[in-house]
Amino acid sequence: MSRTLRVVIADDHAPTREMVREALQDGGCEVVAEARTAPEAVVAAQEHRPDVCLLDIHMPGSGLLAAADITQSLPETAVVMLTASRDDEDLFAALRAGASGYLPKDMDPEQIAPSLRGVLAGEAALPPWLVLKVMEQFRTEQPRRLPSLRPKPKHATSQLTPRESEILALMSEGMSTEEIAGRLFVAQVTVRTHISTILKKMRVPDRAAAVRLAAEEAGR
């Protein structure tokens, strides 16, 4: 049975908070606090230290500023943005602020809790249309990011540290975050942090994509 996730909800729209709260409770999560503004969200996060903070991107005080503050001060707490915006800049600003996901408010409420569990398992909570936008952005940004006199690494996996490579290998064996933590004798949050770094270095949206890319590179 999945453990109960502790969640802080921050949105200035009361009906939205109520809808999300009910969806999370039905999905086996515990809503430990609710906030209406970004400063309130930061205080609630610091007080309750939840597993996830679900933040409205355009709430008073800026959900983006709250996301940056929470991810910097509470690295063990995942931040996921909840928004009605379909603006590309909002998406990339949220990711730059440290958010691990970006959920549209018109999504099926029954999918909110599973999406948050996916984030804690090392997956990015992004709907398919947003995954495509992220991939397109990376394609256009990559040439500008590469130093002009440095060769591009041959393989995405070549950028991983020995520990990250070890965790990627265990992921390829189908092991869960909990199983990897047990194998390596480390905390699950440490494994999640490594997985998040692996996904960023390999420029993939989730664990499955990282495993597929590693398999492709190993077969070259």
Side-chain angles (χ1 to χ4, degrees):
M1 182 178 180
S2 300
R3 74 178 182 88
T4 300
L5 298 187
R6 302 173 68 255
V7 183
V8 166
I9 303 172
D11 193 301
D12 62 319
H13 191 230
T16 297
R17 293 200 308 273
E18 180 179 1
M19 179 274 291
V20 173
R21 180 177 65 252
E22 292 177 354
L24 289 174
Q25 291 172 341
D26 290 344
C29 300
E30 177 188 0
V31 177
V32 297
E34 295 183 26
R36 296 171 300 171
T37 68
E40 289 178 4
V42 173
V43 171
Q46 293 174 343
E47 178 180 353
H48 295 279
R49 296 182 177 271
D51 297 301
V52 182
C53 283
L54 191 56
L55 310 178
D56 174 27
I57 197 169
H58 290 306
M59 64 181 164
S62 175
L64 294 174
L65 293 180
D69 196 327
I70 292 169
T71 55
Q72 291 173 13
S73 61
L74 299 172
E76 295 184 4
T77 295
V79 171
V80 175
M81 311 309 293
L82 183 67
T83 180
S85 173
R86 287 180 175 264
D87 185 279
D88 289 2
E89 184 53 37
D90 280 344
L91 164 63
F92 297 115
L95 297 179
R96 287 192 293 269
S100 300
Y102 191 92
L103 302 181
K105 289 185 177 181
D106 59 0
M107 71 182 296
D108 183 350
E110 293 183 358
Q111 295 303 312
I112 296 177
S115 295
L116 299 190
R117 293 187 186 281
V119 167
L120 294 184
E123 301 173 2
L126 295 173
W129 64 272
L130 282 180
V131 173
L132 292 177
K133 287 184 178 294
V134 172
M135 293 175 66
E136 290 171 359
Q137 180 73 4
F138 279 147
R139 291 194 190 103
T140 58
E141 285 189 355
Q142 187 174 3
R144 295 196 300 272
R145 290 179 176 178
L146 286 175
S148 60
L149 298 179
R150 295 183 185 177
K152 181 180 177 181
K154 183 177 181 181
H155 298 314
T157 51
S158 67
Q159 304 176 66
L160 304 182
T161 65
R163 174 62 93 180
E164 291 164 356
S165 296
E166 183 178 19
I167 290 176
L168 178 58
L170 295 177
M171 287 164 52
S172 299
E173 294 177 15
M175 296 181 68
S176 66
T177 299
E178 182 178 2
E179 291 170 334
I180 294 173
R183 173 71 67 85
L184 301 179
F185 301 102
V186 298
Q188 291 187 45
V189 66
T190 300
V191 176
R192 288 197 294 268
T193 299
H194 280 304
I195 292 175
S196 178
T197 301
I198 291 169
L199 300 184
K200 289 178 182 178
K201 286 184 176 181
M202 297 182 69
R203 298 192 175 193
V204 291
D206 53 38
R207 294 171 59 137
V211 169
R212 286 196 299 270
L213 180 56
E216 292 172 3
E217 292 188 348
R220 290 176 185 173

